[in-house]
Each structure stands twice: as structure tokens, then as C-alpha cells.
Amino acid sequence: MATDAPPPSKEQHRLPSTEEFAEVQQSAEFGELRRSFRSFAFPLTIAFVAWYLLYVLLSNYAGDFMGAKLFGNVNVALVLGLAQFVTTFLIAWWYSRHAAAQLDPKAEAIKSRMEGGA
């Protein structure tokens, strides 16, 4: 059975001590990494949950609005429901780009320093 996973690395990585983990956690570099993640993820999560709850509330309490026909058998509820899927994929794509550009390089630098002892 073939898999797409790369073969395991033959390099031996040094395991950091508990004290080293605590030291890195207190470092400015790690704080910046955490800030960069939180400043992106938290506002988007809050916005998406609010958008989702708006859809649920409109579905429950604004039936006439949600049932309004836009064209043919397509109503507001269907369009907003499909927009939920679109925004989910857009947020995932946007986060992937943000992580690749901002988070992954910082995290990799910290990881390689900890494993390599540099």
C-alpha cells in the first residue's frame, strides 16, 4: 500500500528540556508568534460565529425575509446558506496564506533552534 508521506527523517533531533520549553515560552519571539496568531484567528473566529448566528437568528425570527424569492426558486435563505460555505472556505484559504507567510517561518525558527540547540 503506497502512501504520500515522506520517509522518516534519519536526522537525530535533540529533545529540549522542560526548562528550555519554559524559557522559549517566555521569550519575546514566542510572544510575537502567539500575538500574530491571535490577532488573526480570534477576530476572524468571532466574526464568523457572529455571521453564523445571524443566519440562525434570521432563519428563526425573520421567516418572511429569509423566504423572499430572489429569482426562480432561489430565496434569501438559500443564498445566505451557500454564503456560509463560501466564507468558510475563504477563511480557511486566508488563514493558510497567513500561516505560511507569518506563522510558519517564526515557528520553524524556534523549533530548529530548540532541536538543534543553536
Side-chain angles (χ1 to χ4, degrees), residues 84-94:
Q84 292 281 319
F85 287 100
V86 172
T87 54
T88 299
F89 288 111
L90 284 174
I91 288 170
W93 171 78
W94 192 14

Side-chain angles (χ1 to χ4, degrees), residues 6-8 10 16 18 21 26 29 31 34 48 67 72 76 83 87 99 116:
K10 300 224 187 298
T18 304
F21 274 111
Q26 299 302 319
E29 184 180 26
R34 188 174 32 225
F48 184 78
V76 173
T87 54

Side-chain angles (χ1 to χ4, degrees), residues 99-116:
Q102 301 294 323
L103 304 177
D104 293 348
K106 293 175 187 176
E108 186 58 40
I110 292 171
K111 177 183 173 219
S112 65
R113 224 179 6 267
M114 287 188 76
E115 288 179 347

Side-chain angles (χ1 to χ4, degrees), residues 31-50:
E32 177 57 34
L33 174 62
R34 188 174 32 225
R35 235 181 336 277
S36 183
F37 168 74
R38 288 179 178 171
S39 68
F40 187 88
F42 287 177
L44 269 180
T45 300
I46 291 167
F48 184 78
V49 168

Side-chain angles (χ1 to χ4, degrees), residues 1-112:
M1 181 160 117
T3 64
D4 293 334
S9 175
K10 300 224 187 298
E11 294 179 38
Q12 290 294 331
H13 296 288
R14 181 183 70 81
L15 294 177
S17 68
T18 304
E19 292 79 21
E20 289 171 313
F21 274 111
E23 183 180 319
V24 167
Q25 184 181 13
Q26 299 302 319
S27 72
E29 184 180 26
F30 188 78
E32 177 57 34
L33 174 62
R34 188 174 32 225
R35 235 181 336 277
S36 183
F37 168 74
R38 288 179 178 171
S39 68
F40 187 88
F42 287 177
L44 269 180
T45 300
I46 291 167
F48 184 78
V49 168
W51 159 230
Y52 174 75
L53 290 175
L54 174 67
Y55 178 76
V56 171
L57 290 171
L58 286 173
S59 295
N60 282 318
Y61 301 110
D64 291 340
F65 170 71
M66 294 296 271
K69 301 262 188 216
L70 297 176
F71 53 89
N73 287 330
V74 176
N75 61 16
V76 173
L78 178 63
V79 171
L80 292 180
L82 292 173
Q84 292 281 319
F85 287 100
V86 172
T87 54
T88 299
F89 288 111
L90 284 174
I91 288 170
W93 171 78
W94 192 14
Y95 176 77
S96 174
R97 288 179 45 100
H98 172 74
Q102 301 294 323
L103 304 177
D104 293 348
K106 293 175 187 176
E108 186 58 40
I110 292 171
K111 177 183 173 219
S112 65

